[in-house]
Amino acid sequence: MMQRMRGNFAANRICAAGLAFALTAACAGGVFAGTGMMETGWDAGHKSKSRLIVGALPSADGGKTLVAGLEIVMEPGWKTYWRNPGDAGGIPPYFNWSGSRNLKTAHVQFPAPRRFTDETGTTIGYKKRVILPIMIEPQNPSRPVGIAVTVEFGVCLDICIPARAQLAIEVDPDRIATLPPGLARALQAVPVPSEAQDQDGLPRLASAKLSTSGPPA
């Protein structure tokens, strides 16, 4: 099943150049009144829907850093994968930014995921809803950024179904003032390196919890 999904995903990867800004008018939901935050419309897929939301953070140089977020909402019981899907197999999200304008880098970050275990093994990911923060670096910070992305991901219940979204939005940095609350929470949930590390450089165990199940020995 996983091998077949990989083949389907590879076959479906397209250059987003044709997407670019034909989609902008159709997808862009505009600026939220009074907030300086932006969103696209929803792209509906199998048991899920996706959109981009955009905000900004103050930067060290006194300017601002654009932050986008891929928001995925799934029907009850369905899940999608983290960047490492786990030992039971799966497909992490794939992003194609090639149709974008004035975009230097788009660095996708992943909030702390959940671990799911069943008879097939362990998978790692998210249920119900997730926002993946994306740090946006323009080529020219003084000009608008055209963000166009094709994203492919898996949505899974008992079986996994390939999903794909095509999203585009024109972002004027001068009109972006803050982060949407959901995107701010997702950014705070992204794990960061800890200063408390063992001598070998590996993370230090901070706490442990014992969970028992089954009949007593």
Side-chain angles (χ1 to χ4, degrees):
M1 171 64 72
M2 290 300 104
Q3 191 63 37
R4 186 160 61 251
M5 283 183 64
R6 290 188 181 95
N8 290 342
F9 273 42
N12 286 335
R13 288 176 181 172
I14 64 168
C15 174
L19 164 73
F21 295 94
L23 276 180
T24 301
C27 294
V31 177
F32 295 137
T35 65
M37 299 178 295
M38 299 184 71
E39 65 175 354
T40 69
W42 291 101
D43 189 329
H46 184 80
K47 303 297 182 179
S48 64
K49 60 181 181 179
S50 309
R51 68 174 180 173
L52 286 177
I53 54 179
V54 185
L57 285 171
S59 60
D61 60 4
K64 62 182 68 174
T65 298
L66 291 177
V67 185
L70 173 66
E71 183 174 11
I72 303 173
V73 176
M74 293 156 281
E75 292 189 7
W78 290 77
K79 65 186 178 188
T80 192
Y81 292 110
W82 186 52
R83 61 185 179 189
N84 179 346
D87 58 23
I91 304 276
Y94 166 84
F95 297 84
N96 184 333
W97 304 96
S98 61
S100 300
R101 291 199 310 240
N102 192 32
L103 178 65
K104 183 177 181 180
T105 61
H107 178 56
V108 181
Q109 303 192 37
F110 291 82
R114 294 177 56 192
R115 188 182 303 270
F116 307 102
T117 302
D118 57 25
E119 63 276 4
T120 65
T122 299
T123 55
I124 306 172
Y126 311 95
K127 280 189 174 183
K128 295 182 181 179
R129 175 178 179 264
V130 64
I131 298 176
L132 303 181
I134 305 159
M135 309 308 291
I136 299 296
E137 182 181 1
Q139 291 280 3
N140 183 342
S142 66
R143 299 183 59 84
V145 183
I147 303 173
V149 61
T150 298
V151 56
E152 296 169 347
F153 55 98
V155 288
C156 307
L157 187 59
D158 297 322
I159 61 172
C160 291
I161 306 297
R164 183 168 126 195
Q166 294 178 313
L167 303 164
I169 191 167
E170 184 92 4
V171 180
D172 183 349
D174 291 337
R175 301 181 67 193
I176 303 296
T178 187
L179 287 182
L183 181 53
R185 289 191 295 269
L187 199 58
Q188 291 174 351
V190 174
V192 296
S194 173
E195 295 181 0
Q197 294 181 329
D198 290 333
Q199 292 183 355
D200 58 6
L202 296 176
R204 178 175 58 84
L205 179 64
S207 64
K209 179 180 179 181
L210 176 65
S211 177
T212 61
S213 61

